[in-house]
Amino acid sequence: SYTIPINKIPLLNWTSANARYGGTYGWDVGPIIPDDPVYGAINLGNTIKNSNTIQLNGQLNFVNLYNKISYLKDINAKYRNARTRAREAETRIKTKIYTKENLYLREGRARYVVHNLKTENISVEVFDENNQPVEVKTEVLSNTRIRITSEKAIRSARVVVTGTIEKGQSPLIFIAESTVRILMSVRTLNLTYSRSGGTLLPGYNYGIDNFRFGTHMVGGQMEPGWAFITGWQEQGYAYNSFERGALTTDQTLNEPYAMNHTERFTARMTIEPFNGLKIDVTANRMFSSNFSEYYTANADGSLPADSARGRIFSGNFSMSYIFLGTAFEKIDDKVESSESFDLLKNEYRKTISERLGREYTNNTGVVLPPDSSNTDYVAGYGPTSQEVLIPAFLAAYGGRSPDDIAMNAIKSILKIMPNWQVRFDGLGKIEALQKYVNSIVMNHSYRSTYSVGSFINNPFYVADTISGVPIITDLQGNFMVEQNINTVSINENFSPLFGVNLDWKNSLTTRVEYKRSRTVAMNMANTQVNEVNSAEFIVGAGYRFNEVPLIINQKELSSDLNIRFDLSMRNNRTVIRKLEDLSGSEITAGQTIFSLKASADYMLSDKFTVRAFYDQRLTTPYISNSYPNANYNVGFSMTFTL
């Protein structure tokens, strides 16, 4: 393996970018049985295999790009943190002076002075008739009025009031700088792409050379070839090797030629619109496939008309997606009510069937008649067709229109949709709140994945050689699909939908969280939708008692006592919804869980901790064949750290 560096691109300012390729090659000797009583001499050949990995990593630091422009660099520095902005405010201070002359001050009598400076940040100086400073008592009554008292009488006093006022920033400048800072919200971008593959080829005739490479010159052709040794993948390699005579012609060989392939793509972007708000946006896609087929010669060692048999192509797929359109459907006991399922069952399947019928007509010029069993559908694309169910399912549960939803189940990299995580701690930096709290942190997270559990090629699929449309139907009258898919599913998780953590000045910590999640799977074999919904509300609090004394065996200890309390209510529900069965929907599992946890920790030393705890869990099931139950866990633990 070796690393190929990519030159830095100054315009885009790639701070880290590299591509890596690694290949491996292996060889396993096979058995040779010269005197089998039934088959005679048996030569199963050897087994060769290889693999490779190609990976590209890149990191784009937009901050360094912004800072190449001095104006943008100054704005970044100004809005980097609160201290920087405080220093900026100190430079925007102006001074005003108010003078009052010929003022008569009686001994011990207060005198009011109205200065109209509109600030309480003032300094007062008093001079007598000889212009000598006089000590007086000053009281600030308002931002325009003071009261002074002199210990001696002054007939012609002069009072000088100096006030400092912070100059307000120009609204236009503030708007302009804030807009530019928001436009510079994207701070970093990380990209990772990897592709790996491997080949396993049984029945290889030749051995290895002195360098253990297994390279042999046969008829001017080097076997197995440097491309194979370095890990390069070629689907037709087995057939070409068979034609060259590099594979055994023994008919007892019954091991498949196999290949595997995996692609992964991940992107992560950090966005900071303003100080205190951080958004992490992620997107990912994974595609994995496995390919196998058998190569067997005729009795005379020649290649049959179809030298490859038993071809199997299978795999799985997943990618980040967005299903917010239906994420907040109400979770209740009325399982018969589901707007998404009703749209899938009654409307969206029909729309998708009509779209597929129009595409068939556009490709062939043939207008498909209505389905014989259900005239609302087009013949060949009935209500149980895989090609109808998958796009209708994604449209119904993704909150999208069936008129423009993509029809293919395996999505391209261009169809990736981002997920995100949001963290905001700006409220704790407000001066009025800093009197009460050390920090206020708000969290929100959204993760959603669309997955194809598994797919496998359909050996009965036949397509027209000219138009490419399928020409064979199954027992339900639906066109055969090229790849049979068992299930497609969506997995959506708000963890949390909304969360707040507060650290108070009085050693108290509190938190509130609300979480939601759902998993919805569409099964093609029985045309059922399986929904698993969950909602959880959590309230927690903790308090630290500082230096709590404890006497053990006449020895006095002093340590912090940490108390923690958590209360949660969780609602889980599993519902099966049947598209073709008249029995409708039913709850198959689910429960309401009430949980109460409390604990207290006390450190007897830096290595020894005592903990007391109480854990209560009450479960009330939805279905009648389960019963309510309660679990209580009470006790203490002692932990010694080596």
Side-chain angles (χ1 to χ4, degrees), residues 250-555:
D250 197 316
Q251 290 185 307
T252 58
L253 177 65
N254 196 31
E255 292 186 35
Y257 164 65
M259 297 184 68
N260 63 77
H261 175 77
T262 301
E263 287 186 13
R264 297 180 185 274
F265 173 79
T266 302
R268 180 176 179 178
M269 179 184 294
T270 301
I271 302 174
E272 296 181 15
F274 50 84
N275 192 41
L277 177 61
K278 184 178 180 180
I279 305 173
D280 289 325
V281 180
T282 58
N284 56 76
R285 180 184 184 272
M286 188 279 294
F287 176 81
S288 177
S289 64
N290 298 282
F291 172 82
S292 66
E293 59 186 3
Y294 293 83
Y295 284 87
T296 305
N298 294 323
D300 59 357
S302 62
L303 288 175
D306 186 7
S307 58
R309 57 185 176 84
R311 179 172 296 176
I312 298 176
F313 180 77
S314 61
N316 55 75
F317 167 80
S318 67
M319 65 180 287
S320 57
Y321 212 65
I322 294 178
F323 295 94
L324 286 176
T326 61
F328 299 99
E329 277 193 339
K330 187 178 180 182
I331 302 175
D332 54 25
D333 298 335
K334 298 178 180 179
V335 298
E336 296 83 3
S337 175
S338 172
E339 182 179 354
S340 299
F341 181 77
D342 292 341
L343 289 173
L344 168 64
K345 181 177 182 179
N346 302 322
E347 297 182 24
Y348 285 8
R349 288 189 298 172
K350 300 175 185 178
T351 304
I352 298 298
S353 177
E354 293 173 358
R355 284 183 59 188
L356 291 170
R358 289 195 297 268
E359 290 182 7
Y360 189 96
T361 302
N362 293 335
N363 292 329
T364 64
V366 178
V367 178
L368 294 173
D371 188 81
S372 58
S373 59
N374 193 329
T375 56
D376 292 330
Y377 295 85
V378 175
Y381 299 106
T384 60
S385 169
Q386 173 184 300
E387 292 185 271
V388 171
L389 289 174
I390 293 177
F393 171 77
L394 293 178
Y397 283 88
R400 292 175 173 81
S401 171
D403 294 316
D404 53 17
I405 190 76
M407 306 295 278
N408 54 325
I410 308 298
K411 310 293 183 182
S412 71
I413 197 172
L414 300 177
K415 297 295 183 180
I416 293 178
M417 294 187 180
N419 299 161
W420 56 83
Q421 183 175 2
V422 182
R423 185 179 186 273
F424 179 60
D425 59 3
L427 293 179
K429 299 175 183 178
I430 298 177
E431 186 175 354
L433 296 178
Q434 288 180 343
K435 300 177 182 178
Y436 310 101
V437 296
N438 294 320
S439 66
I440 301 176
V441 180
M442 304 173 68
N443 295 292
H444 165 72
S445 176
Y446 178 77
R447 294 287 182 270
S448 182
T449 304
Y450 162 63
S451 303
V452 176
S454 63
F455 62 85
I456 189 169
N457 65 300
N458 185 354
F460 302 105
Y461 174 79
V462 178
D464 182 78
T465 56
I466 299 177
S467 61
V469 299
I471 57 178
I472 297 179
T473 59
D474 58 18
L475 296 178
Q476 286 77 35
N478 298 316
F479 285 121
M480 290 285 187
V481 293
E482 185 174 4
Q483 296 172 349
N484 286 323
I485 296 176
N486 186 27
T487 60
V488 295
S489 63
I490 61 175
N491 191 311
E492 194 171 45
N493 194 352
F494 294 92
S495 184
L497 176 63
F498 178 78
V500 180
N501 294 270
L502 294 94
D503 182 9
W504 300 83
K505 291 287 187 182
N506 59 357
S507 300
L508 175 68
T509 60
T510 57
R511 73 179 179 118
V512 177
E513 283 187 349
Y514 179 64
K515 301 179 180 180
R516 286 180 69 106
S517 65
R518 68 169 177 170
T519 299
V520 187
M522 178 76 221
N523 191 303
M524 307 302 158
N526 54 20
T527 61
Q528 290 183 355
V529 177
N530 187 41
E531 297 182 18
V532 181
N533 295 286
S534 176
E536 184 177 12
F537 182 73
I538 303 172
V539 177
Y543 192 82
R544 184 181 71 253
F545 295 92
N546 298 319
E547 302 298 329
V548 176
L550 180 65
I551 299 176
I552 299 178
N553 196 20
Q554 298 182 348
K555 182 180 180 180

Side-chain angles (χ1 to χ4, degrees), residues 569-624:
M569 287 286 296
R570 183 170 183 174
N571 185 357
N572 299 323
R573 187 188 64 174
T574 301
V575 181
I576 289 182
R577 305 188 187 278
K578 303 173 183 179
L579 283 169
E580 298 302 315
D581 195 329
L582 297 179
S583 60
S585 305
E586 61 177 334
I587 295 181
T588 59
Q591 60 273 327
T592 300
I593 302 173
F594 172 82
S595 175
L596 174 63
K597 296 180 180 181
S599 64
D601 299 296
Y602 189 87
M603 293 186 64
L604 298 177
S605 69
D606 59 343
K607 297 183 180 297
F608 194 61
T609 303
V610 177
R611 179 175 181 265
F613 57 86
Y614 174 83
D615 188 354
Q616 173 183 322
R617 185 183 178 93
L618 306 177
T619 303
T620 304
Y622 277 119
I623 55 179
S624 58

